[in-house]
Amino acid sequence: MQLDPERGYDLIGDIHGCGHALARLLDQLGYRLQGGVWRHSRRQVIFLGDIIDRGPHIREALHLVHGMVEHGQAHCIMGNHEFNALGWYMPAPPGSGREFVRAHSPRFARLLQETFDQFEHYPDEWQAFRDWFYELPLFLETERFRVVHACWDSSVIARLRPLLDDGRINPALLREAGLPGTFICQALDRLLRGTDMPLPEGMTLTSEEGFVRTFFRTKFWEENPQTYGDVVFQPDGLPEHAARLPLSPQQKDRLFLYGPDEPLLFVGHYWRRGQPGPLRGNLACLDYSAVKNGKLVAYRLDQETRLDPAKFAWVEVCAVFRP
């Protein structure tokens, strides 16, 4: 199903199992449940990936999104969590130093555990959804706007595109992604996880979930950064003394830039907080930490070529949407 550049689209950020909040947001946007599928007479949804993991209604969210896609009411791209789920079951290639493409480490086990638990009594459904994940494209594009889960890098996409099946990965490509350092591994990491930078020597960060990191996520739209603080883009930030450190010329040269004159770009992935709005006139992140009692956010795209702050819509995800 191809995108129609003349149509209105509602782009929705990371759901992470907040299925009840998603139904509330669709109702707020004017969609109605008809024949078991949420529909709109004039608009379609584009889901930005990360439907699964963490939340209380993962199975319901997957059925809702899948039903809309299968009935022509929505598109959905792959998020890093759908990729993780596929990689969890895929044996890694020889020489990778691991047993599976997605290592069965405590970190990834913890991220996927809620999904495994909710499908414990529905193994055939879970297998069918994993098969469907292969049908999710990594990105969508028209002349006017682009959609990817974490970062749009045109040079990487141009090189990757001939290897994909109409924008989609296949099992052989997934297995190849299990070899660290290869183009496939690095390309999928760029699109699904974004850009990052090593922390200053000897420094580590511990996330809210207890994961220790030696890298931090970076902006890919900052045109003239001078310090670490100018490029950090993650909810936990950097310690003040680290944020003030100057970037070296070599670090600046390695930063990726999505230019201000490129088409509109919509991403998820980054766990934002606060009032939804554009990052820049042509760039929006629609992940506002829904599963952490944040907001489930949509952008109502029509024919504009610059983002309009008034066209963000959301529902607050609080206890009313949880068990």
Side-chain angles (χ1 to χ4, degrees):
M1 187 167 59
Q2 298 299 311
L3 292 177
D4 177 359
E6 302 302 317
R7 186 167 194 149
Y9 289 100
D10 297 306
L11 298 105
I12 295 180
D14 303 33
I15 298 163
H16 280 305
C18 295
H20 293 183
L22 175 58
R24 175 71 178 271
L25 178 61
L26 289 169
D27 182 74
Q28 180 176 302
L29 297 175
Y31 292 76
R32 295 295 176 259
L33 191 59
Q34 300 171 351
V37 177
W38 287 89
R39 305 172 188 267
H40 196 290
S41 60
R42 300 178 305 280
R43 305 182 68 84
Q44 287 179 336
V45 171
I46 300 176
F47 294 104
L48 300 185
D50 280 7
I51 311 302
I52 65 170
D53 293 346
R54 291 193 171 100
H57 305 114
I58 297 165
R59 182 168 169 258
E60 294 93 326
L62 273 175
H63 277 288
L64 191 160
V65 171
H66 177 266
M68 291 186 72
V69 172
E70 290 298 294
H71 288 83
Q73 302 301 307
H75 303 262
C76 183
I77 63 170
M78 180 175 285
N80 62 300
H81 283 256
E82 286 77 35
F83 180 83
N84 289 345
L86 292 176
W88 182 268
Y89 295 92
M90 175 61 72
S96 67
R98 61 183 72 166
E99 187 176 357
F100 294 92
V101 168
R102 185 51 75 226
H104 288 197
S105 64
R107 176 174 183 263
F108 287 112
R110 181 175 173 183
L111 290 175
L112 286 159
Q113 191 59 53
E114 191 63 41
T115 299
F116 295 156
D117 289 348
Q118 291 182 36
F119 277 98
E120 181 180 3
H121 301 296
Y122 307 93
D124 292 342
E125 275 190 17
W126 179 226
Q127 178 63 65
F129 279 126
R130 297 201 313 271
D131 292 342
W132 178 62
F133 290 165
Y134 282 111
E135 299 178 25
L136 304 180
L138 291 169
F139 51 84
L140 296 170
E141 180 179 25
T142 72
E143 289 186 5
R144 194 166 50 85
F145 70 94
R146 296 164 169 170
V147 183
V148 71
H149 184 65
C151 178
W152 186 281
D153 185 327
S154 293
S155 62
V156 168
I157 288 173
R159 186 177 168 190
L160 184 62
R161 201 186 294 265
L163 307 176
L164 302 174
D165 299 332
D166 196 21
R168 300 164 175 87
I169 66 171
N170 55 47
L173 202 68
L174 173 67
R175 191 162 188 261
E176 187 177 345
L179 278 171
T182 61
F183 167 71
I184 293 299
C185 179
Q186 293 172 342
L188 296 181
D189 204 56
R190 173 61 59 93
L191 271 56
L192 295 175
R193 294 174 54 83
T195 58
D196 57 31
M197 178 181 290
L199 287 161
E201 187 173 355
M203 181 179 292
T204 61
L205 289 176
T206 302
S207 72
E208 292 179 3
E209 296 175 307
F211 301 133
V212 178
R213 297 190 175 99
T214 58
F215 286 74
F216 66 97
R217 291 177 178 174
T218 55
K219 298 175 182 177
F220 52 86
W221 62 94
E222 192 69 31
E223 295 184 67
N224 187 31
Q226 300 300 315
T227 67
Y228 278 71
D230 289 339
V231 296
V232 64
F233 188 54
Q234 58 187 29
D236 39 0
L238 294 177
E240 186 175 347
H241 69 280
R244 292 197 303 264
L245 290 173
L247 296 169
S248 70
Q250 293 78 15
Q251 287 173 316
K252 293 180 184 179
D253 288 343
R254 286 197 298 268
L255 289 170
F256 171 70
L257 176 66
Y258 188 83
D261 298 322
E262 296 194 61
L264 297 178
L265 175 61
F266 298 92
V267 300
H269 187 60
Y270 292 101
W271 300 99
R272 301 203 72 207
R273 294 283 189 181
Q275 176 83 8
L279 293 168
R280 198 174 60 190
N282 67 333
L283 175 59
C285 173
L286 300 180
D287 177 8
Y288 276 79
S289 308
V291 77
K292 296 182 180 180
N293 292 326
K295 299 174 177 67
L296 185 60
V297 175
Y299 183 85
R300 312 214 73 183
L301 179 66
D302 294 295
Q303 300 306 309
E304 65 268 28
T305 57
R306 305 297 286 177
L307 295 172
D308 181 350
K311 299 186 75 173
F312 287 80
W314 61 87
V315 293
E316 301 281 350
V317 184
C318 55
V320 69
F321 299 126
R322 303 178 74 88

